[in-house]
Amino acid sequence: MLPQKQAEEAIVATYNETEVDGKEEQREDNSKFSMKNILWHGGSVYDAWFSCASNQVAQVLLTLPYSFSQLGMLSGILFQLFYGFMGSWTAYLISVLYIEYRSRKEKENYNFKNHVIQWFEVLDGLLGHRWKAIGLAFNCTFLLFGSVIQLIACASNIYYINDRLDKRTWTYIFGACCATTVFIPSFHNYRIWSFLGLGMTTYTAWYLTIAGLIHGQVEGVKHSAPSKLVLYFTGATNILYTFGGHAVTVEIMHAMWKPQKFKSIYLLATLYVFTLTLPSAAAMYWAFGDLLLNHSNAFSLLPKTRFRDSAVILMLIHQFITFGFACTPLYFVWEKVIGMHDTKSICLRALARLPVVIPIWFLAIIFPFFGPINSAVGALLVSFTVYIIPSLAHMLTYRKASARQNAVEKPPFFLPSWTGMYIVNTFVVVWVFLVGFGFGGWASMTNFIRQVDTFGLFAKCYQCPRRTSPPLPHH
């Protein structure tokens, strides 16, 4: 028992040292009290909570009513609760693996002062190079398309305020705006953005709820879902995507002064997110029913008012923030590839990051329909990145008795045995592989291809109302 006790003491000492370093940095910053220090430097538990909650719901809030029109009210609510708690579980697994990896590396005197740990590095350190390659491929592709979705959503939303420019032109404009995120160094610097982002999403969610209820049910409203298997599983995978926003979990943890306190943060963020997603999606589906099947953006069915315009503008700002959330891990990967990750100059790093934004911009112009893309990304990428890989990685990391005995983080109080954890992890892997990737992949790709066939690539204005020509004057 003595070696184990010594190991535990070494881990505690490591965290205490990290905490002291963080506090020393804080004292250095606080000695020069300024608004910059308050708004810019964040690493507390509250910062992490705001980052997780803000990152979970952005443009997907506008597509959940569309998902309800495919699933039906009951299935929509149940899938949200089910995938919300499942996502919280796998975020917990990722946090456990991060702590395990970091403690092992710091025992070897590895210094992370100028290095941001990422998910693929955790997999590499715990399971080897093959897992690193798998994690890197899935994570980067998911974040790439997540960023693409933000750009498409920006163009879709602003069109409801100003339709003098088509959506493709707005995509050009917002691509240039979102490129400015290259100047935000890391997740330490998202304090004010996360706070504002969640406030904006909260307003939008409650606007959708109240507007749907005040509008009332449209004449002859129909609630025929679920009607087709393709639509049903497309909607389910969109919700899978909704609660799969923790491709940036490791980066958010690394930005914390006490990353070991992260374990329950994602669950608490998810519980808050439920108060936004469930009422808004249910109210909109109740009011508009099957009309939502042809309107993947909920704004398109609501009348133009100052409240709706305010919601659109706030969502635009939040999508800019979420673009930064999705792109920052990609920036880190690219910096490491070209050897610029340790560079302290913000301008030099920003210049080095620009090549990451260009393909995202281009893809947003090719595929301008974010509703179907959400489902495709959910089925093909989120299912592995967020659910399957963390569950498998946790089982393999602790497959040996010695690894379980020396684990930095023991099983949680509500599931105190390793056997119980293996059962839950196995269930997650099997369910998500069969239902999320299997049925969801088939349904979402069928729907996606149908959208491409109908509207074509490089669509100038996807789902825009057709303008009627003015009548000719009578002579």
Side-chain angles (χ1 to χ4, degrees):
M1 289 297 292
L2 188 60
Q4 186 180 350
K5 187 175 180 183
Q6 288 174 343
E8 288 174 358
E9 286 174 357
I11 291 161
V12 171
T14 299
Y15 282 130
N16 288 339
E17 189 180 334
T18 306
E19 184 181 341
V20 168
D21 289 342
K23 286 181 177 176
E24 281 176 4
E25 287 176 17
Q26 276 184 282
R27 285 194 201 102
E28 242 178 78
D29 291 335
N30 289 340
S31 63
K32 298 178 181 179
F33 183 80
S34 66
M35 287 302 290
K36 178 184 174 184
N37 292 333
I38 295 172
L39 305 179
W40 187 251
H41 298 294
S44 68
V45 170
Y46 301 103
D47 290 309
W49 183 85
F50 276 111
S51 292
C52 289
S54 179
N55 188 47
Q56 266 194 58
V57 281
Q59 95 298 328
V60 78
L61 188 70
L62 307 176
T63 65
L64 285 174
Y66 168 65
S67 298
F68 270 47
S69 72
Q70 298 168 319
L71 288 164
M73 186 75 79
L74 179 61
S75 289
I77 292 170
L78 291 177
F79 268 115
Q80 277 204 42
L81 294 171
F82 178 65
Y83 283 131
F85 287 119
M86 187 183 285
S88 298
W89 171 255
T90 53
Y92 165 76
L93 298 180
I94 291 172
S95 72
V96 167
L97 294 173
Y98 168 86
I99 297 295
E100 184 71 38
Y101 168 76
R102 183 163 180 171
S103 64
R104 289 185 188 181
K105 297 299 284 186
E106 287 180 341
K107 281 182 195 175
E108 299 168 7
N109 297 320
Y110 199 93
N111 189 354
F112 291 107
K113 190 172 182 181
N114 295 316
H115 183 93
V116 177
I117 298 173
Q118 294 188 268
W119 176 229
F120 68 90
E121 292 169 318
V122 173
L123 291 173
D124 184 24
L126 297 177
L127 296 173
H129 294 303
R130 288 184 180 178
W131 278 87
K132 173 186 176 179
I134 293 169
L136 188 61
F138 275 105
N139 223 41
C140 287
T141 311
F142 169 38
L143 291 169
L144 176 75
F145 279 99
S147 304
V148 169
I149 288 166
Q150 301 309 318
L151 277 188
I152 298 169
C154 283
S156 176
N157 290 344
I158 192 64
Y159 185 78
Y160 298 119
I161 291 181
N162 185 338
D163 61 0
R164 283 174 289 182
L165 298 177
D166 59 75
K167 291 181 183 179
R168 189 167 64 192
T169 304
W170 281 120
T171 305
Y172 294 139
I173 295 168
F174 278 99
C177 294
C178 289
T180 59
T181 57
V182 297
F183 289 100
I184 303 175
S186 74
F187 283 97
H188 272 299
N189 313 114
Y190 272 97
R191 168 175 279 181
I192 187 62
W193 295 116
S194 298
F195 177 78
L196 290 175
L198 190 58
M200 294 165 184
T201 312
T202 300
Y203 171 88
T204 304
W206 284 107
Y207 159 73
L208 291 175
T209 305
I210 295 167
L213 294 174
I214 291 175
H215 183 281
Q217 292 185 314
V218 295
E219 188 178 349
V221 65
K222 291 182 180 178
H223 299 90
S224 59
S227 57
K228 296 179 182 178
L229 279 178
V230 170
L231 294 178
Y232 189 82
F233 285 107
T234 301
T237 48
N238 187 38
I239 294 177
L240 180 85
Y241 172 85
T242 303
F243 295 97
H246 42 286
V248 296
T249 298
V250 171
E251 289 83 359
I252 292 173
M253 283 187 71
H254 191 82
M256 293 176 69
W257 297 315
K258 297 180 181 179
Q260 69 272 31
K261 288 191 172 183
F262 182 87
K263 293 188 292 293
S264 60
I265 287 175
Y266 199 90
L267 173 61
L268 295 174
T270 300
L271 293 175
Y272 179 78
V273 167
F274 282 150
T275 69
L276 307 181
T277 57
L278 288 169
S280 59
M284 289 295 293
Y285 180 56
W286 171 81
F288 296 100
D290 291 354
L291 284 177
L292 285 159
L293 287 169
N294 297 315
H295 296 82
S296 57
N297 189 322
F299 282 143
S300 62
L301 288 171
L302 292 169
K304 182 178 173 62
T305 64
R306 65 179 183 275
F307 297 108
R308 193 197 73 167
D309 289 353
S310 298
V312 172
I313 292 166
L314 291 177
M315 282 303 290
L316 286 171
I317 300 170
H318 187 214
Q319 279 153 357
F320 163 81
I321 297 166
T322 310
F323 181 92
F325 268 117
C327 258
T328 299
L330 294 176
Y331 295 152
F332 292 155
V333 172
W334 179 246
E335 287 169 0
K336 291 170 185 176
V337 168
I338 62 174
M340 295 285 288
H341 190 57
D342 296 332
T343 305
K344 292 185 178 179
S345 168
I346 291 177
C347 292
L348 200 59
R349 286 179 74 183
L351 191 64
R353 290 172 170 189
L354 278 175
V356 177
V357 180
I358 295 168
I360 293 170
W361 204 351
F362 186 64
L363 286 169
I365 294 163
I366 298 176
F367 304 110
F369 22 86
F370 72 84
I373 287 181
N374 277 359
S375 300
V377 169
L380 305 180
L381 298 173
V382 175
S383 56
F384 283 94
T385 304
V386 170
Y387 299 96
I388 294 174
I389 292 175
S391 300
L392 286 175
H394 188 273
M395 288 193 285
L396 292 173
T397 299
Y398 298 109
R399 66 189 181 279
K400 295 181 180 177
S402 58
R404 294 192 294 273
Q405 186 178 358
N406 297 316
V408 179
E409 294 286 342
K410 302 299 181 185
F413 71 91
F414 57 87
L415 198 67
S417 74
W418 287 99
T419 303
M421 293 197 74
Y422 267 74
I423 291 170
V424 173
N425 288 340
T426 302
F427 171 78
V428 171
V429 171
V430 173
W431 175 276
V432 175
F433 185 79
L434 292 178
V435 178
F437 176 71
F439 289 108
W442 160 73
S444 60
M445 288 311 298
T446 301
N447 189 42
F448 185 82
I449 292 167
R450 189 178 297 158
Q451 297 286 350
V452 174
D453 289 342
T454 305
F455 296 98
L457 302 178
F458 297 97
K460 191 172 184 180
C461 208
Y462 172 71
Q463 284 191 346
C464 296
R466 291 185 179 179
R467 296 177 184 274
T468 54
S469 301
L472 295 173
H474 294 284
H475 295 288

